[in-house]
Amino acid sequence: MIGGLLSKLGIQGAPGQAGFKPKSMPPVWFSGTAPSWESLESMAKAKQQALGVDFWADPNLGPTNAKALKRNFGQPDSAIRVKLYRDHASWCPYCHKIWLMLEEKQIPYIVEKINMRCYGPKPPEFMAKVPTGLLPVMELDGGPPITESLRIMMLLEQEFPDHKPLIPRGSSQEVQRAEQLMRLERRLFSDWLGWACSDWNQAMAKARSEAVLDVIEAELKVAGGPFFFGKDISLADINMVPMLERMVASLAYYKGFFIRGTGRWPAIEAWFAALEQRPTYLGTHSDYYQHCHDLPPQMGGCYFSDEGLPVAAQIDGVDGESWRLPLAPLSATSLPEPFSPGDSPPLDTLEAAASLIKNHAAVTRFALRGVGKPGPRPVSAPLSDPSAIPALEHMAAADMALRHVAHALLVGVEEKQVSEHALQVTSSQPSGPAADLTGVPIVPAATYLRDRVGVPRDMRFPAARQLRAHLNWLIDSLEAAAA
């Protein structure tokens, strides 16, 4: 589907694949003037102290974090009874349910991350435990693996009743309504995929999706909102989150159909706004770009309508504006992707820079897959090629280029470009060490990295926007000099 979209938009090639070769590009070179990684780390830590944040903190502590592997919630290790197996990339909607529930109830747990099948073969030791290979999986008190998200959620509620009850403890009428809302999520799932994954009878499929959204809208008003049972989140909300989040993203992308940001479903808008005030949700929330590219390999493909193409171009950042500086502000009504907490460029650029600085060796190597060779194991997810072979001969140039990006994130492009650390690009080969800083392989390497910034795996959505846009600043600077 990615290649098809690029073709429809008049874009040649597929930068989402390892070894992507751009159109013939005249040679260019760039300056080796970026600060060292050590200097960049010092700059970032000084800036985060001024802003009152700490992006070097232990991800296992504090707010929900996709990098966390052990969550104690202030309890000793002996209190950990749950082991959750979930996917590496935060793609799996059923893992999302369990992860969010554990965080809301603050049940101590540990995590083992297992790749999804579209990301490559699963580890043999996991398959020995779970022959179906399906995620999520939970082990309770070291017992046998438990599968199926609904079964896991019910068991967690039963075993940990003192950890923030999420099922109504009131009248049988409330319990019955909770059960009906759980079934409503299955209807939403069916009607959403009936439209997203088909190009047959689009009018009827659209009407079915609108009808189920109307039902959800009405249900959210029953107890006064913003959640299904009133002011606090319940299991019915947690169960609905992954599918409605993915529905909102994919229907905008593939069909040009907006659920948020238009005012048509105000209770659903208020529900998302309330979720986006919760650290538990923000730590597990993915952006539209990730959902729209991780769904097809999981679901077997999605289908574009003509109305979806311009929206997809915006979400994919190939419209010439959406992933370029200056970025438009985020808000509850920003389209194509509403985000009610908004953005904070000083904080968001710092988060992106910190992630790059902390992991610079691995990130540089990863980016060089884009100018390397595809891996020997084919996988079905276009943005996944775990065995791709990076072109390590360009390590020095890629390292310098990413230092320029990190510096631009920390001080801003304008300030950087009038400093001694400015990115300078020339079509004349310099002498000395700078002779090896060729920009030709950096364009596909930076493109490859840009297209794989994961939310929430790598960082939050506002920070990911900044990293993608600053990588485009680097790419555009190199291509402009070659023009």
Side-chain angles (χ1 to χ4, degrees):
M1 295 305 297
I2 293 175
L5 171 60
L6 292 170
S7 176
K8 289 180 181 180
L9 294 171
I11 300 167
Q12 301 301 315
Q17 299 175 358
F20 164 67
K21 305 299 181 185
K23 293 179 181 178
S24 178
M25 176 177 167
V28 295
W29 291 263
F30 63 96
S31 55
T33 51
S36 67
W37 289 115
E38 291 75 17
S39 296
L40 291 165
E41 181 173 338
S42 296
M43 292 170 63
K45 288 185 173 179
K47 190 171 181 180
Q48 72 175 13
Q49 186 173 8
L51 291 173
V53 294
D54 186 2
F55 292 113
W56 269 262
D58 185 347
N60 293 315
L61 307 175
T64 305
N65 192 311
K67 298 179 180 66
L69 296 176
K70 183 169 78 168
R71 297 286 279 165
N72 289 70
F73 300 110
Q75 300 297 311
D77 285 356
S78 59
I80 298 176
R81 300 175 55 197
V82 172
K83 181 175 183 177
L84 171 66
Y85 295 83
R86 72 171 182 87
D87 65 304
H88 281 280
S90 306
W91 287 7
C92 171
Y94 301 100
C95 298
H96 190 179
K97 295 181 183 187
I98 309 305
W99 182 17
L100 182 55
M101 183 179 183
L102 288 167
E103 290 290 319
E104 280 289 341
K105 288 179 74 71
Q106 295 197 348
I107 298 170
Y109 69 101
I110 57 174
V111 175
E112 184 170 333
K113 294 180 181 178
I114 304 292
N115 59 282
M116 299 183 73
R117 279 203 178 91
C118 56
Y119 233 87
K122 293 179 184 284
E125 57 272 21
F126 177 75
M127 295 300 295
K129 284 186 174 184
V130 186
T132 63
L134 295 177
L135 294 170
V137 173
M138 181 182 76
E139 292 174 352
L140 181 65
D141 296 325
I146 303 162
T147 60
E148 299 181 6
S149 60
L150 182 58
R151 182 182 174 203
I152 294 171
M153 288 190 293
M154 292 299 126
L155 186 58
L156 287 172
E157 192 69 6
Q158 174 186 318
E159 289 287 328
F160 299 92
D162 298 330
H163 289 255
K164 186 179 181 178
L166 294 171
I167 294 178
R169 296 291 194 268
S171 66
S172 59
Q173 198 171 25
E174 281 191 316
V175 173
Q176 185 179 23
R177 180 167 179 258
E179 293 173 349
Q180 290 171 345
L181 288 169
M182 301 294 273
R183 291 193 293 272
L184 178 59
E185 183 265 353
R186 289 291 83 190
R187 176 184 165 187
L188 173 81
F189 176 75
S190 175
D191 291 344
W192 156 48
L193 291 189
W195 190 13
C197 297
S198 173
D199 60 356
W200 180 79
N201 202 337
Q202 294 291 285
M204 183 181 75
K206 178 182 178 182
R208 289 174 66 91
S209 289
E210 290 174 322
V212 75
L213 289 167
D214 288 340
V215 174
I216 292 170
E217 175 78 6
E219 288 289 349
L220 285 168
K221 295 176 179 177
V222 168
F227 297 107
F228 284 114
F229 284 92
K231 294 181 179 180
D232 204 1
I233 198 167
S234 71
L235 195 62
D237 299 285
I238 290 171
N239 189 53
M240 191 72 73
V241 160
M243 299 310 170
L244 192 48
E245 180 183 301
R246 285 157 177 79
M247 180 184 191
V248 167
S250 60
L251 292 186
Y253 184 91
Y254 289 104
K255 309 298 182 182
F257 179 81
F258 292 103
I259 297 171
R260 296 187 66 185
T262 65
R264 179 172 177 181
W265 289 284
I268 292 176
E269 302 238 20
W271 184 74
F272 273 110
L275 286 168
E276 288 170 346
Q277 296 302 312
R278 307 181 78 84
T280 52
Y281 177 72
L282 291 178
T284 61
H285 158 266
S286 295
D287 67 343
Y288 285 17
Y289 176 79
Q290 174 161 307
H291 282 323
C292 296
H293 290 286
D294 71 40
L295 283 170
Q298 296 181 69
M299 305 299 186
C302 298
Y303 290 84
F304 279 103
S305 69
D306 290 341
E307 294 82 0
L309 292 175
V311 181
Q314 290 179 284
I315 293 170
D316 283 345
V318 297
D319 62 339
E321 296 180 10
S322 299
W323 286 11
R324 281 177 168 77
L325 300 170
L327 291 169
L330 291 172
S331 72
T333 57
S334 56
L335 295 178
E337 186 159 3
F339 187 68
S340 63
D343 54 352
S344 172
L347 188 65
D348 304 334
T349 51
L350 176 58
E351 181 181 350
S355 182
L356 185 53
I357 293 164
K358 288 189 298 181
N359 303 291
H360 65 85
V363 172
T364 304
R365 185 182 179 94
F366 178 84
L368 287 171
R369 291 179 179 184
V371 70
K373 297 178 181 178
R377 290 189 290 119
V379 292
S380 59
L383 297 185
S384 166
D385 39 23
S387 56
I389 301 168
L392 298 181
E393 63 270 24
H394 301 299
M395 180 66 82
D399 179 87
M400 181 62 68
L402 292 181
R403 282 155 53 192
H404 276 298
V405 171
H407 186 234
L409 283 162
L410 288 172
V411 303
V413 169
E414 290 186 5
E415 182 177 332
K416 173 181 176 60
Q417 291 304 85
V418 296
S419 75
E420 62 181 317
H421 301 296
L423 172 67
Q424 300 167 357
V425 186
T426 177
S427 57
S428 301
Q429 185 171 11
S431 57
D436 294 330
L437 299 179
T438 174
V440 173
I442 300 308
V443 169
T447 300
Y448 183 92
L449 176 60
R450 178 200 67 198
D451 292 348
R452 286 166 176 73
V453 179
V455 178
R457 181 194 63 192
D458 303 320
M459 60 193 72
R460 297 176 308 119
F461 168 48
R465 294 174 80 228
Q466 291 289 350
L467 180 52
R468 291 163 183 157
H470 282 76
L471 286 166
N472 267 337
W473 163 75
L474 169 68
I475 293 165
D476 291 345
S477 299
L478 296 172
E479 291 185 329

